Amino acid sequence: MNPAPRKIVVGITGASGAPYAKRLLEVLESRVESHGDIEVAVCLSSTAPEVWALECGGDVRDALRGRFPMWGMRDYTAPFASGSAGWNAMVIVPCSMSTVARIAHGISDTLLTRAADVMIKERRTLVVVPREMPLSIIHLENLTALARAGVVIQPAMPSFYGKTKTLAQAIDTVVGRTLDQLGLSHSILKRWGDKDVTDTERETP
Ligand SMILES: Cc1cc2nc3c(=O)[nH]c(=O)nc-3n(C[C@H](O)[C@H](O)[C@H](O)COP(=O)(O)O)c2cc1C
């Protein structure tokens, strides 16, 4: 018997970094098609469409309609608004400091923050991909509160040790590590230990 599908919510907020969300959804969609072992739903904050339009172009709702189930911002009838529906994991990418603050203080004022609250109370997987620069003490304290509650803080900080050359590769260093946190296998990033990564020209001591 196949394992039960894993149900994953992807939340998108109005922080810079919509291309990370776009790429994560592309990879999850192809996983649904190739393996059929996950179910993916999307929820947006009110600011997400504005930032997506600036950074990816077009209307995010048009881009995702028909590909993923979506609910209105205050539609608390969505299944993942309740712990009993058994959604296993949520990723918030990119995650604004406003959303971090609201989740850290238990303010479930939208479907997105409610879904995050459910993940925390049910001790399920919540991965946030925060983006801000620099981080104030308020941001850091709110992120610390989330980390203490078991949330994975997965900063939108690309790595370059895999001989990253293009923007797409840089995006994949963040998206790939996010997929790792969901326990989903992939090959979109080069890992430390891969032969062509660790082969460097070293000075002879
Ligand atoms: C183009 C643009 C980029 C933004 N980038 C960030 C960002 O990187 N981080 C952040 O915390 N807020 C950023 N903001 C501000 C948030 O959109 C704003 O605080 C909003 O209230 C967040 O609400 P939400 O978390 O419900 O989406 C940005 C806004 C715009 C218009």
Side-chain angles (χ1 to χ4, degrees):
M1 199 171 73
N2 289 332
R6 296 189 55 211
K7 300 177 179 183
I8 303 166
V9 189
V10 176
I12 307 174
T13 78
S16 181
Y20 294 117
K22 187 178 179 199
R23 176 64 172 147
L24 177 68
L25 289 170
E26 276 169 14
V27 177
L28 292 177
E29 185 176 37
S30 74
R31 170 102 191 187
V32 171
E33 284 161 8
S34 62
H35 291 63
D37 60 348
I38 57 168
E39 198 178 323
V40 181
V42 175
C43 71
L44 306 171
S45 78
S46 58
T47 327
E50 184 183 340
V51 179
W52 181 290
L54 271 167
E55 296 184 339
C56 299
D59 187 318
V60 59
R61 288 154 297 209
D62 291 344
L64 303 181
R65 193 170 294 119
R67 294 169 58 201
F68 304 97
M70 284 191 288
W71 281 265
M73 261 193 47
R74 291 210 159 65
D75 189 351
Y76 299 102
T77 64
F80 47 81
S82 167
S84 64
W87 284 66
N88 313 85
M90 179 174 190
V91 181
I92 307 178
V93 56
C95 189
S96 75
M97 290 304 121
S98 169
T99 292
V100 165
R102 280 177 284 137
I103 299 168
H105 292 271
I107 301 171
S108 301
D109 58 340
T110 64
L111 176 58
L112 192 152
T113 51
R114 166 65 185 166
D117 199 51
V118 167
M119 291 295 153
I120 293 171
K121 83 182 172 74
E122 301 289 340
R123 298 175 187 269
R124 295 183 190 147
T125 302
L126 175 58
V127 181
V128 302
V129 184
R131 197 274 147 200
E132 188 47 278
M133 190 181 287
L135 293 167
S136 73
I137 187 68
I138 295 168
H139 303 149
L140 291 165
E141 283 180 354
N142 287 334
L143 286 164
T144 301
L146 293 187
R148 285 206 177 101
V151 176
V152 178
I153 311 297
Q154 182 85 3
M157 293 180 182
S159 65
F160 295 90
Y161 55 77
K163 302 191 172 68
T164 308
K165 290 194 177 56
T166 66
L167 184 56
Q169 288 170 344
I171 290 169
D172 278 357
T173 66
V174 172
V175 172
R177 300 292 281 124
T178 303
L179 292 162
D180 288 350
Q181 289 299 328
L182 294 173
L184 296 174
S185 58
H186 65 88
S187 54
I188 68 169
L189 57 74
K190 293 192 177 177
R191 296 181 186 278
W192 187 247
D194 287 353
K195 194 168 181 327
D196 55 340
V197 172
T198 39
D199 271 1
T200 51
E201 286 172 24
R202 293 204 185 91
E203 282 178 36
T204 314

